[in-house]
Amino acid sequence: MNFDLNVVPFSRRESFLAISILPEAQDRQQGLYLRTVRGGDDKFGEAFHIEMLDERGQSVSFEATACPEQIRLESPTGLSAEICISNRRTFRIRTNDCGIRLTFRTAAYDYAYQATSSSWEVNSFTHECRFMLTALVGDLKMEVPWDKIKSSYVIADFLPDSKSGIAEFAVEEFHTVWEPRMTWESYDDAVKQVKEEFNEWLDRSLPLPERWHESRELAAYITWSCIVPAEGCLTRPAMYMSKNWMTNIWSWDHCFNAMALVRHDPQLAWDQFMIFFDRQDESGLLPDFINNKFELWNCNKPPIHGWTLSWMMARTDYIKEAQLREVYEPLSKWTKWWFRYRDGDGDGIPQYNHGNDSGWDNSTAFNTGIPVESPDLAAFLILQAELLAEIAGLLGHAEDAKEWRQLAEGTLDKMISHFWKDDRFRACRSGTHELSEGDSLLLFVPILLGKRLPEQIRTALLKGLREDDRFLTRHGWATESVKSPFYHPDGYWRGPIWAPSTMLLVEGVAAAGDRELAEEVAHRFCRMLDRSGMAENFDAITGQGLRDRAFTWTSSVFLILGNEYTN
């Protein structure tokens, strides 16, 4: 499998290192970059620009070909180099008849100095880490002018050995102290080890129909390579959304990744599911997102965790009493938080204070203002309370189980009377109950309740989801009706097709009894991804991938739906 470095970063499991081809921007030329994805999604994290040098030391053009274990660079004249990430903190580079130049643009107090006869340390305040550049074969020539309190820039030229024509070097990332290595494994052995690790992951990933084997490999690679290690605020290994620029975990995105992992790596799946509960506020609130450096608390995401956990429990025997005891209190606090802190008008119907809290940031459900009471939130809380009743019963908490069942049943009754109007669900402003504008797919999410809903409501929802050229296109369900005046092809949650909405509604349609529609939409969605890749979202009419085009929850949903709903 080869992939485009303009779209999919080169990385490996449990590493913050990556390599990408980045576009031209202010203070950055277009080209191939060594990167670090620490510190969140406000930058690409480019550290070193990579150039190939001919025998005269002149920069020459090259093509980069990437596969999971290494990148190969080739010039039109036959010069070549190879790059791998040999472990979570080390880039290894080998060249043939050419040199490699690494250029580091300094800022703040960034500096470089010679640490040993063959190694230079680059201390990057910008990236909050340090890099050690070490020549293993060939020569290292440095250009590091000093400017009062920092190095003006850093240029490292790794030049081939005069006899063999080969250069080999390493770039190691570290935080505090660097321990020199006494020996280095060969470059070929490093590549072999990475290849074996990825192939093991691929072999265990969810099986799909043979016609999608190439896209299955891509989805498996994206999910494998986007895992970062437990560090800082990350209490467990975490699958980032992407190693392009969405370099965080969000508190509903992680659920879909856990679901795709639960059958072949249940411990890692459990880590994905529980990581936000590790950082839970005393009030019960979960942070919006987490990275290694910080958490964001200004908003949150919807409580899909009960639905997720129930789905996972149906597909693994890994989740036993110990796991249920671990999750029961945090999940209880998260559920109670909504009813205590997000019911401003006291009507028993919790609200979203902002579109970001729903995960559907700019949905038309929020057009008329905030806070918004929306039926999807009530549906999630019903399912979560039901699961808590089940867990409480299994753990011997009979009174808790009774209270959770009563909450689920009461919230279901309130949801139907509050939101079902004129044969459709409507969202409204909390307090005034002014109805929202638009025609958002968000209002069909309660179909997750399946046969808990009265038959006439199920029938109306299924009819709306089957209606051609409303939500349903040849690629799946648009997030805003294509007939809506608010529809926009690249409107984020006002039109494009998304993996999470597709997953929720496919599962909901199946729960409501229409397996045929669930399979048809799953097939359309997977077929679109097979052609357009694992993008953040997709144009509902053309199927073109939009925004960040190497997304893990998209990859995970592709694997799940392809495995469970297509043949």
Side-chain angles (χ1 to χ4, degrees):
M1 177 187 67
N2 294 326
F3 53 88
D4 183 355
L5 289 168
N6 291 282
V7 175
V8 180
F10 176 78
S11 189
R12 65 167 295 166
R13 180 175 178 169
E14 295 205 34
S15 176
F16 286 101
L17 302 176
I19 299 177
S20 297
I21 297 174
L22 300 181
E24 182 179 1
Q26 184 178 5
D27 297 326
R28 183 184 71 216
Q29 65 185 100
Q30 188 272 347
L32 188 68
Y33 286 84
L34 301 182
R35 303 168 51 228
T36 174
V37 298
R38 298 178 184 278
D41 62 345
D42 60 343
K43 54 189 179 298
F44 278 105
E46 61 268 29
F48 296 94
H49 180 227
I50 304 172
E51 296 175 88
M52 179 180 284
L53 304 177
D54 62 17
E55 67 278 2
R56 298 169 299 161
Q58 299 298 307
S59 180
V60 296
S61 63
F62 60 84
E63 292 291 327
T65 304
C67 62
E69 65 270 17
Q70 69 174 344
I71 299 172
R72 183 170 176 82
L73 312 180
E74 291 190 89
S75 77
T77 58
L79 305 178
S80 66
E82 298 160 309
I83 309 172
C84 79
I85 302 176
S86 59
N87 62 44
R88 57 188 278 188
R89 292 188 177 275
T90 308
F91 292 109
R92 288 284 300 275
I93 298 93
R94 180 174 67 184
T95 76
N96 185 17
D97 292 330
C98 68
I100 290 291
R101 173 172 291 164
L102 301 182
T103 302
F104 181 89
R105 292 183 59 89
T106 59
Y109 302 103
D110 299 345
Y111 66 86
Y113 78 98
Q114 187 166 14
T116 72
S117 60
S118 58
S119 298
W120 280 68
E121 177 182 322
V122 178
N123 189 344
S124 175
F125 288 68
T126 305
H127 300 96
E128 299 181 358
C129 66
R130 305 165 191 251
F131 301 95
M132 188 62 73
L133 314 183
T134 300
L136 304 176
V137 178
D139 297 323
L140 170 57
K141 292 187 177 181
M142 300 291 296
E143 185 178 340
V144 190
W146 182 250
D147 182 15
K148 302 181 183 64
I149 58 171
K150 70 180 184 71
S151 299
S152 300
Y153 56 84
V154 178
I155 295 178
D157 286 352
F158 294 89
L159 305 175
D161 177 75
S162 58
K163 294 181 179 179
S164 67
I166 292 173
E168 284 198 40
F169 64 96
V171 179
E172 299 171 89
E173 177 203 46
F174 66 103
H175 275 146
T176 54
V177 296
W178 172 71
E179 297 290 350
R181 300 193 194 190
M182 302 306 296
T183 61
W184 291 83
E185 76 269 52
S186 73
Y187 178 87
D188 289 333
D189 284 346
V191 170
K192 179 182 178 183
Q193 181 183 6
V194 177
K195 185 174 184 178
E196 288 174 352
E197 289 182 18
F198 172 68
N199 284 340
E200 180 183 0
W201 176 278
L202 176 62
D203 289 345
R204 295 167 58 203
S205 295
L206 292 172
L208 267 63
E210 178 61 25
R211 65 183 177 277
W212 289 331
H213 77 276
E214 291 183 2
S215 292
R216 174 179 175 266
E217 285 189 44
L218 177 61
Y221 173 74
I222 290 172
T223 53
W224 173 78
S225 66
C226 281
I227 298 171
V228 297
E231 181 181 300
C233 292
L234 299 171
T235 55
R236 308 174 190 233
M239 187 180 291
Y240 273 3
M241 283 306 98
S242 172
K243 283 185 178 174
N244 277 319
W245 60 86
M246 300 290 278
T247 49
N248 301 311
I249 50 172
W250 277 264
S251 56
W252 72 316
D253 310 38
H254 70 120
C255 291
F256 299 94
N257 289 335
M259 292 162 75
L261 293 170
V262 74
R263 278 177 285 197
H264 73 84
D265 197 336
Q267 177 59 60
L268 184 59
W270 190 248
D271 286 339
Q272 302 319 295
F273 184 76
M274 289 300 299
I275 192 167
F276 276 91
F277 292 107
D278 292 346
R279 309 297 297 185
Q280 187 173 30
D281 183 69
E282 183 60 31
S283 68
L285 176 63
L286 299 180
D288 180 49
F289 69 69
I290 309 173
N291 54 56
N292 66 295
K293 186 177 179 181
F294 67 97
E295 306 144 336
L296 183 75
W297 294 95
N298 294 82
C299 52
N300 51 268
K301 289 295 179 279
I304 71 168
H305 303 83
W307 168 75
T308 300
L309 182 54
S310 178
W311 190 98
M312 291 168 63
M313 289 168 63
R315 288 161 176 80
T316 183
D317 59 3
Y318 173 84
I319 302 172
K320 301 182 187 298
E321 182 178 344
Q323 286 73 33
L324 296 181
R325 290 193 181 279
E326 182 183 5
V327 76
Y328 179 68
E329 286 301 328
L331 189 61
S332 298
K333 289 172 66 176
W334 175 223
T335 308
K336 292 174 182 178
W337 180 87
W338 285 95
F339 288 95
R340 181 173 180 180
Y341 296 104
R342 284 296 182 269
D343 185 12
D345 59 5
D347 60 0
I349 298 291
Q351 69 207 31
Y352 293 127
N353 281 357
H354 189 276
N356 287 3
D357 296 344
S358 74
W360 297 50
D361 306 2
N362 64 336
S363 164
T364 54
F366 301 90
N367 263 14
T368 55
I370 56 171
V372 167
E373 296 172 352
S374 183
D376 68 297
L377 175 54
F380 293 140
L381 290 168
I382 291 163
L383 294 171
Q384 198 148 289
E386 283 187 358
L387 181 69
L388 284 164
E390 179 185 344
I391 295 173
L394 291 170
L395 298 180
H397 306 318
E399 191 59 34
D400 282 4
K402 179 181 177 180
E403 292 177 3
W404 287 122
R405 282 192 296 270
Q406 290 174 343
L407 179 63
E409 292 165 2
T411 304
L412 176 61
D413 291 341
K414 290 177 182 176
M415 183 194 80
I416 292 171
S417 62
H418 195 75
F419 293 115
W420 188 254
K421 303 179 185 299
D422 300 323
D423 293 326
R424 59 183 293 196
F425 280 120
R426 301 291 298 271
C428 62
R429 289 279 298 278
S430 179
T432 66
H433 295 159
E434 175 189 359
L435 296 178
S436 62
E437 299 178 315
D439 191 8
S440 175
L441 188 68
L442 179 67
L443 304 180
F444 285 77
V445 170
I447 202 167
L448 270 178
L449 294 169
K451 295 185 179 179
R452 300 170 187 80
L453 295 171
E455 182 178 357
Q456 71 271 21
I457 293 180
R458 296 199 311 272
T459 299
L461 292 175
L462 289 170
K463 180 181 178 182
L465 291 171
R466 276 189 169 274
E467 185 178 340
D468 287 330
D469 298 324
R470 183 182 177 191
F471 300 106
L472 187 59
T473 74
R474 64 191 182 98
H475 304 295
W477 284 308
T479 46
E480 178 76 11
S481 168
V482 298
K483 298 177 181 177
S484 167
F486 302 107
Y487 173 83
H488 190 280
D490 188 12
Y492 223 51
W493 292 95
R494 295 184 174 220
I497 294 170
W498 287 74
S501 56
T502 301
M503 177 77 191
L504 289 164
L505 287 166
V506 165
E507 285 285 304
V509 164
D514 196 340
R515 178 78 187 188
E516 179 185 22
L517 179 58
E519 291 180 353
E520 175 60 29
V521 173
H523 179 81
R524 294 185 190 192
F525 179 78
C526 290
R527 185 178 59 198
M528 174 180 67
L529 269 61
D530 186 51
R531 186 182 69 251
S532 298
M534 306 297 152
E536 183 179 359
N537 53 70
F538 302 84
D539 187 306
I541 304 301
T542 68
Q544 177 185 355
L546 303 171
R547 308 296 176 110
D548 190 321
R549 292 189 289 154
F551 232 56
T552 55
W553 71 355
T554 308
S555 302
S556 291
V557 170
F558 173 74
L559 292 170
I560 295 167
L561 296 185
N563 175 262
E564 297 208 356
Y565 288 94
T566 68
N567 52 47

